[in-house]
Every structure is written in structure tokens, then in C-alpha cells.
Amino acid sequence: MTKAKFLLVFLTITIISCVTVNIYFPAAEAQKTAKEIVEDVRGVKVEKKKEPQSFQWLGVAYAGQAELEVSNATIRALKGSIKARYPRLKPYLSSGVLGESLQGYLVLKETGSLSLRDKVLVSRLMSAENRDRKALYEAVAQALNIDKSMMPRLRKVFAKEWQRTAPSGTWIEVKPGKWKRK
């Protein structure tokens, strides 16, 4: 094989192998799903806007944006577990014992005023909550066909909703390592 042929084959193989793979992240769907789940868990009442059913004078039927209901048995069970635990977590959130991180998980913040028994209880509640949240994020990612490499992005979407709906007094991570009270 001549140098020219070798170079041509090498360049052809190099060009063919340079394929960019774009991984799609359904941001709007993830945001809407996180909002619906977190608001249901936290008991936040949000009035939904009524969309017109049709524009008859245009001869066009308009049903509005389709409701996104990302749900399956796993998601419903995890949401139920998280929702049932929330009343026990709420006092620890509002008193600043627990905080909402940027990664979508709870963290211990101020446990100094707690008895040893309460520290153990809070630690167990937090561990159970974080385990369920991790499983919830994985189930939502699977339902939305989100690649595993995009999990940090999905957790951030959920983190924003957990922080938004957290009770007053909760520690909120605003930047990595920077916290403020809500």
C-alpha cells in the first residue's frame, strides 16, 4: 500500500469515527414532573390555569398543553413514602436541623440542640428520605428516558423544587458550600 492510499484510508477512518452523540435532556418535562411530585409531597396547593377548549371562530380545536403525568407504580410508591415521612421531617427542616442541598438531598446542618436519641431519629429519617429520593430520581429518569449521565441535572431540577417548597427556616444551599436560611 502506498503512502497516499494509507493516508487516505487513515483520514477516512478518522473522519468516520468522529461522531458526536448528543444526549437529550427533556428539561421542560423534568421540571414539570419535579414540580408536580414535590408539590404533592409537600401539600402545596397551586391553582392551574384553565386553557380554552377551542377556538371555534378559527375552526381550530385547541386542547392546551397536554398534562404531563409521569407516573408508574414505582414512582407512586416512592412519592407515597416520601409524602408520609414529610410531617416528621418538617419540624427538623423549619428548625434548621436539616437543609436542602443543591443535589436534591437532605443534609444535617445544626444538630447541637438535639438529644442523642433525637440525633439518631433525625439521621434515620434523613437516610430513609435520601434513599427514597435517589430511587425516585432514577424512576423518573427511566420514565422520561433520561440517560444516566444526565442524573446530576435531574437532581438539580428536583433540588430547586425541594428548596422552593421547603418550610421557612430551612437551610438552603444556594451555591456549592454556601447556605442560607429560608
Short mmCIF file of all heavy atoms in Angstrom, two decimals, residues 21-60:
data_model
loop_
_atom_site.label_atom_id
_atom_site.label_comp_id
_atom_site.label_asym_id
_atom_site.label_seq_id
_atom_site.Cartn_x
_atom_site.Cartn_y
_atom_site.Cartn_z
N VAL A 21 -22.26 12.35 19.78
CA VAL A 21 -23.51 11.81 20.29
C VAL A 21 -24.13 12.86 21.20
O VAL A 21 -23.54 13.23 22.21
CB VAL A 21 -23.28 10.49 21.06
CG1 VAL A 21 -24.58 10.00 21.65
CG2 VAL A 21 -22.65 9.46 20.17
N ASN A 22 -25.28 13.35 20.82
CA ASN A 22 -25.99 14.31 21.65
C ASN A 22 -26.95 13.55 22.55
O ASN A 22 -27.73 12.73 22.08
CB ASN A 22 -26.79 15.30 20.79
CG ASN A 22 -25.89 16.28 20.08
OD1 ASN A 22 -24.86 16.66 20.60
ND2 ASN A 22 -26.29 16.69 18.89
N ILE A 23 -26.87 13.83 23.83
CA ILE A 23 -27.78 13.20 24.78
C ILE A 23 -28.84 14.23 25.13
O ILE A 23 -28.56 15.30 25.63
CB ILE A 23 -27.02 12.73 26.03
CG1 ILE A 23 -25.98 11.69 25.63
CG2 ILE A 23 -27.99 12.16 27.05
CD1 ILE A 23 -25.08 11.25 26.75
N TYR A 24 -30.07 13.87 24.84
CA TYR A 24 -31.20 14.77 25.02
C TYR A 24 -31.64 14.77 26.48
O TYR A 24 -31.78 13.73 27.11
CB TYR A 24 -32.35 14.32 24.12
CG TYR A 24 -33.64 15.05 24.34
CD1 TYR A 24 -33.76 16.39 24.00
CD2 TYR A 24 -34.73 14.42 24.90
CE1 TYR A 24 -34.95 17.08 24.21
CE2 TYR A 24 -35.92 15.09 25.12
CZ TYR A 24 -36.02 16.42 24.77
OH TYR A 24 -37.19 17.09 24.98
N PHE A 25 -31.86 15.96 27.02
CA PHE A 25 -32.41 16.11 28.35
C PHE A 25 -33.74 16.86 28.23
O PHE A 25 -33.76 18.03 27.84
CB PHE A 25 -31.46 16.89 29.27
CG PHE A 25 -31.98 17.00 30.68
CD1 PHE A 25 -31.87 15.94 31.56
CD2 PHE A 25 -32.60 18.16 31.12
CE1 PHE A 25 -32.35 16.04 32.86
CE2 PHE A 25 -33.09 18.26 32.42
CZ PHE A 25 -32.96 17.20 33.29
N PRO A 26 -34.84 16.20 28.53
CA PRO A 26 -36.16 16.84 28.41
C PRO A 26 -36.42 17.81 29.57
O PRO A 26 -37.13 17.50 30.51
CB PRO A 26 -37.13 15.66 28.42
CG PRO A 26 -36.41 14.63 29.24
CD PRO A 26 -34.94 14.82 28.96
N ALA A 27 -35.82 18.98 29.48
CA ALA A 27 -35.85 19.95 30.59
C ALA A 27 -37.26 20.32 31.02
O ALA A 27 -37.57 20.33 32.21
CB ALA A 27 -35.05 21.19 30.22
N ALA A 28 -38.12 20.64 30.07
CA ALA A 28 -39.48 21.07 30.41
C ALA A 28 -40.25 19.94 31.09
O ALA A 28 -40.93 20.17 32.10
CB ALA A 28 -40.22 21.54 29.16
N GLU A 29 -40.12 18.73 30.57
CA GLU A 29 -40.82 17.60 31.16
C GLU A 29 -40.28 17.29 32.56
O GLU A 29 -41.04 16.99 33.48
CB GLU A 29 -40.71 16.35 30.27
CG GLU A 29 -41.44 16.48 28.95
CD GLU A 29 -40.56 17.05 27.83
OE1 GLU A 29 -39.46 17.59 28.12
OE2 GLU A 29 -40.98 16.98 26.67
N ALA A 30 -38.97 17.36 32.71
CA ALA A 30 -38.35 17.09 34.01
C ALA A 30 -38.81 18.14 35.02
O ALA A 30 -39.15 17.80 36.17
CB ALA A 30 -36.83 17.09 33.89
N GLN A 31 -38.82 19.40 34.63
CA GLN A 31 -39.24 20.48 35.51
C GLN A 31 -40.70 20.30 35.94
O GLN A 31 -41.03 20.41 37.12
CB GLN A 31 -39.05 21.84 34.83
CG GLN A 31 -39.60 23.02 35.59
CD GLN A 31 -38.96 23.20 36.96
OE1 GLN A 31 -37.77 22.98 37.12
NE2 GLN A 31 -39.75 23.59 37.93
N LYS A 32 -41.55 20.03 34.99
CA LYS A 32 -42.98 19.86 35.29
C LYS A 32 -43.21 18.65 36.19
O LYS A 32 -43.97 18.71 37.16
CB LYS A 32 -43.78 19.72 34.00
CG LYS A 32 -45.27 19.66 34.23
CD LYS A 32 -46.02 19.81 32.94
CE LYS A 32 -47.43 19.54 33.13
NZ LYS A 32 -48.48 20.12 33.27
N THR A 33 -42.51 17.56 35.92
CA THR A 33 -42.63 16.36 36.74
C THR A 33 -42.16 16.62 38.16
O THR A 33 -42.84 16.26 39.13
CB THR A 33 -41.83 15.20 36.11
OG1 THR A 33 -42.35 14.95 34.80
CG2 THR A 33 -41.92 13.94 36.95
N ALA A 34 -41.00 17.25 38.30
CA ALA A 34 -40.46 17.56 39.64
C ALA A 34 -41.43 18.45 40.40
O ALA A 34 -41.71 18.21 41.58
CB ALA A 34 -39.09 18.22 39.51
N LYS A 35 -41.96 19.46 39.73
CA LYS A 35 -42.89 20.39 40.38
C LYS A 35 -44.13 19.66 40.87
O LYS A 35 -44.56 19.84 42.01
CB LYS A 35 -43.25 21.50 39.40
CG LYS A 35 -44.10 22.58 40.00
CD LYS A 35 -44.35 23.71 39.03
CE LYS A 35 -45.04 24.81 39.78
NZ LYS A 35 -45.90 25.62 39.06
N GLU A 36 -44.72 18.83 40.02
CA GLU A 36 -45.93 18.09 40.39
C GLU A 36 -45.68 17.16 41.57
O GLU A 36 -46.47 17.11 42.52
CB GLU A 36 -46.46 17.29 39.20
CG GLU A 36 -47.08 18.14 38.13
CD GLU A 36 -47.48 17.34 36.89
OE1 GLU A 36 -47.24 16.11 36.83
OE2 GLU A 36 -48.02 17.96 35.96
N ILE A 37 -44.58 16.42 41.52
CA ILE A 37 -44.27 15.46 42.58
C ILE A 37 -44.01 16.18 43.91
O ILE A 37 -44.58 15.85 44.94
CB ILE A 37 -43.08 14.57 42.19
CG1 ILE A 37 -43.50 13.60 41.08
CG2 ILE A 37 -42.54 13.80 43.40
CD1 ILE A 37 -42.36 12.81 40.46
N VAL A 38 -43.14 17.19 43.88
CA VAL A 38 -42.76 17.89 45.11
C VAL A 38 -43.95 18.64 45.70
O VAL A 38 -44.15 18.62 46.92
CB VAL A 38 -41.55 18.82 44.86
CG1 VAL A 38 -41.26 19.68 46.07
CG2 VAL A 38 -40.32 17.98 44.50
N GLU A 39 -44.73 19.29 44.87
CA GLU A 39 -45.91 19.99 45.40
C GLU A 39 -46.90 19.03 46.02
O GLU A 39 -47.51 19.34 47.05
CB GLU A 39 -46.57 20.83 44.30
CG GLU A 39 -45.78 22.08 43.97
CD GLU A 39 -46.40 22.94 42.88
OE1 GLU A 39 -47.39 22.50 42.23
OE2 GLU A 39 -45.89 24.04 42.66
N ASP A 40 -47.05 17.85 45.44
CA ASP A 40 -47.95 16.85 46.03
C ASP A 40 -47.39 16.37 47.37
O ASP A 40 -48.12 16.29 48.37
CB ASP A 40 -48.13 15.67 45.08
CG ASP A 40 -49.13 14.65 45.61
OD1 ASP A 40 -50.13 15.06 46.25
OD2 ASP A 40 -48.91 13.45 45.40
N VAL A 41 -46.11 16.07 47.42
CA VAL A 41 -45.48 15.61 48.66
C VAL A 41 -45.59 16.66 49.76
O VAL A 41 -45.92 16.36 50.90
CB VAL A 41 -43.99 15.25 48.41
CG1 VAL A 41 -43.22 15.12 49.72
CG2 VAL A 41 -43.88 13.97 47.60
N ARG A 42 -45.33 17.91 49.40
CA ARG A 42 -45.29 18.98 50.40
C ARG A 42 -46.67 19.60 50.66
O ARG A 42 -46.80 20.49 51.49
CB ARG A 42 -44.31 20.07 49.96
CG ARG A 42 -42.85 19.57 49.89
CD ARG A 42 -42.14 19.83 51.18
NE ARG A 42 -40.87 19.17 51.34
CZ ARG A 42 -39.68 19.71 51.11
NH1 ARG A 42 -39.58 20.93 50.64
NH2 ARG A 42 -38.58 19.03 51.35
N GLY A 43 -47.69 19.16 49.92
CA GLY A 43 -49.03 19.67 50.14
C GLY A 43 -49.23 21.10 49.68
O GLY A 43 -50.07 21.82 50.23
N VAL A 44 -48.48 21.50 48.66
CA VAL A 44 -48.61 22.85 48.12
C VAL A 44 -49.79 22.87 47.16
O VAL A 44 -49.87 22.06 46.25
CB VAL A 44 -47.31 23.28 47.38
CG1 VAL A 44 -47.47 24.63 46.73
CG2 VAL A 44 -46.14 23.27 48.34
N LYS A 45 -50.69 23.80 47.41
CA LYS A 45 -51.86 23.94 46.54
C LYS A 45 -51.56 25.00 45.48
O LYS A 45 -51.28 26.15 45.80
CB LYS A 45 -53.09 24.38 47.34
CG LYS A 45 -53.41 23.47 48.49
CD LYS A 45 -54.18 22.26 48.03
CE LYS A 45 -54.73 21.48 49.18
NZ LYS A 45 -53.95 20.37 49.62
N VAL A 46 -51.61 24.59 44.23
CA VAL A 46 -51.36 25.51 43.13
C VAL A 46 -52.57 25.47 42.20
O VAL A 46 -52.98 24.40 41.76
CB VAL A 46 -50.08 25.14 42.35
CG1 VAL A 46 -49.87 26.05 41.17
CG2 VAL A 46 -48.88 25.16 43.27
N GLU A 47 -53.12 26.66 41.93
CA GLU A 47 -54.25 26.74 41.02
C GLU A 47 -53.75 26.61 39.60
O GLU A 47 -52.82 27.30 39.19
CB GLU A 47 -54.95 28.10 41.17
CG GLU A 47 -56.36 27.97 41.64
CD GLU A 47 -57.02 29.31 41.78
OE1 GLU A 47 -57.37 29.89 40.73
OE2 GLU A 47 -57.16 29.76 42.92
N LYS A 48 -54.36 25.70 38.85
CA LYS A 48 -53.97 25.52 37.45
C LYS A 48 -54.81 26.44 36.59
O LYS A 48 -55.99 26.60 36.81
CB LYS A 48 -54.16 24.07 37.02
CG LYS A 48 -53.22 23.14 37.74
CD LYS A 48 -53.32 21.74 37.21
CE LYS A 48 -52.33 20.86 37.95
NZ LYS A 48 -52.28 19.52 37.41
N LYS A 49 -54.14 27.05 35.60
CA LYS A 49 -54.85 27.93 34.67
C LYS A 49 -55.72 27.10 33.74
O LYS A 49 -55.32 26.05 33.27
CB LYS A 49 -53.85 28.72 33.82
CG LYS A 49 -53.12 29.78 34.57
CD LYS A 49 -52.36 30.63 33.59
CE LYS A 49 -50.88 30.45 33.81
NZ LYS A 49 -50.06 31.17 32.88
N LYS A 50 -56.90 27.61 33.50
CA LYS A 50 -57.80 26.96 32.56
C LYS A 50 -57.44 27.44 31.16
O LYS A 50 -57.35 28.63 30.91
CB LYS A 50 -59.27 27.31 32.86
CG LYS A 50 -59.76 26.74 34.15
CD LYS A 50 -60.52 25.50 33.87
CE LYS A 50 -61.07 24.97 35.19
NZ LYS A 50 -61.79 23.77 35.03
N GLU A 51 -57.22 26.50 30.27
CA GLU A 51 -56.95 26.82 28.87
C GLU A 51 -58.27 26.75 28.10
O GLU A 51 -59.14 25.94 28.42
CB GLU A 51 -55.95 25.80 28.28
CG GLU A 51 -54.60 25.81 28.93
CD GLU A 51 -53.77 27.04 28.61
OE1 GLU A 51 -54.10 27.76 27.64
OE2 GLU A 51 -52.80 27.30 29.32
N PRO A 52 -58.41 27.57 27.09
CA PRO A 52 -59.64 27.50 26.29
C PRO A 52 -59.73 26.13 25.61
O PRO A 52 -58.73 25.59 25.17
CB PRO A 52 -59.48 28.62 25.26
CG PRO A 52 -58.03 28.96 25.26
CD PRO A 52 -57.49 28.57 26.59
N GLN A 53 -60.95 25.61 25.55
CA GLN A 53 -61.13 24.29 24.94
C GLN A 53 -61.00 24.35 23.43
O GLN A 53 -60.54 23.41 22.81
CB GLN A 53 -62.50 23.71 25.33
CG GLN A 53 -62.61 23.35 26.79
CD GLN A 53 -61.61 22.28 27.20
OE1 GLN A 53 -61.20 21.46 26.40
NE2 GLN A 53 -61.20 22.32 28.45
N SER A 54 -61.44 25.44 22.82
CA SER A 54 -61.30 25.52 21.36
C SER A 54 -61.45 26.96 20.91
O SER A 54 -61.96 27.81 21.62
CB SER A 54 -62.36 24.66 20.67
OG SER A 54 -63.64 25.20 20.91
N PHE A 55 -60.94 27.21 19.75
CA PHE A 55 -61.15 28.50 19.08
C PHE A 55 -62.07 28.22 17.89
O PHE A 55 -61.62 28.03 16.78
CB PHE A 55 -59.81 29.09 18.60
CG PHE A 55 -58.90 29.51 19.70
CD1 PHE A 55 -57.71 28.86 19.92
CD2 PHE A 55 -59.24 30.58 20.53
CE1 PHE A 55 -56.86 29.26 20.93
CE2 PHE A 55 -58.40 30.99 21.53
CZ PHE A 55 -57.20 30.32 21.75
N GLN A 56 -63.37 28.16 18.16
CA GLN A 56 -64.32 27.80 17.11
C GLN A 56 -64.28 28.78 15.94
O GLN A 56 -64.40 28.38 14.81
CB GLN A 56 -65.75 27.74 17.70
CG GLN A 56 -65.95 26.65 18.72
CD GLN A 56 -65.72 25.25 18.14
OE1 GLN A 56 -65.95 25.00 16.98
NE2 GLN A 56 -65.24 24.35 18.99
N TRP A 57 -64.09 30.06 16.24
CA TRP A 57 -64.09 31.05 15.17
C TRP A 57 -62.92 30.88 14.23
O TRP A 57 -62.95 31.35 13.10
CB TRP A 57 -64.14 32.46 15.76
CG TRP A 57 -63.02 32.74 16.73
CD1 TRP A 57 -62.99 32.43 18.05
CD2 TRP A 57 -61.78 33.38 16.45
NE1 TRP A 57 -61.81 32.81 18.62
CE2 TRP A 57 -61.05 33.42 17.66
CE3 TRP A 57 -61.21 33.93 15.31
CZ2 TRP A 57 -59.78 33.97 17.74
CZ3 TRP A 57 -59.95 34.49 15.40
CH2 TRP A 57 -59.25 34.51 16.61
N LEU A 58 -61.87 30.18 14.67
CA LEU A 58 -60.75 29.88 13.77
C LEU A 58 -60.92 28.52 13.10
O LEU A 58 -60.18 28.19 12.19
CB LEU A 58 -59.43 29.86 14.55
CG LEU A 58 -58.89 31.20 15.04
CD1 LEU A 58 -57.65 30.96 15.88
CD2 LEU A 58 -58.56 32.10 13.87
N GLY A 59 -61.90 27.77 13.60
CA GLY A 59 -62.07 26.42 13.09
C GLY A 59 -60.96 25.49 13.56
O GLY A 59 -60.70 24.47 12.94
N VAL A 60 -60.31 25.87 14.66
CA VAL A 60 -59.19 25.07 15.16
C VAL A 60 -59.52 24.64 16.59
O VAL A 60 -59.88 25.46 17.42
CB VAL A 60 -57.88 25.91 15.18
CG1 VAL A 60 -56.75 25.10 15.80
CG2 VAL A 60 -57.53 26.37 13.79
#
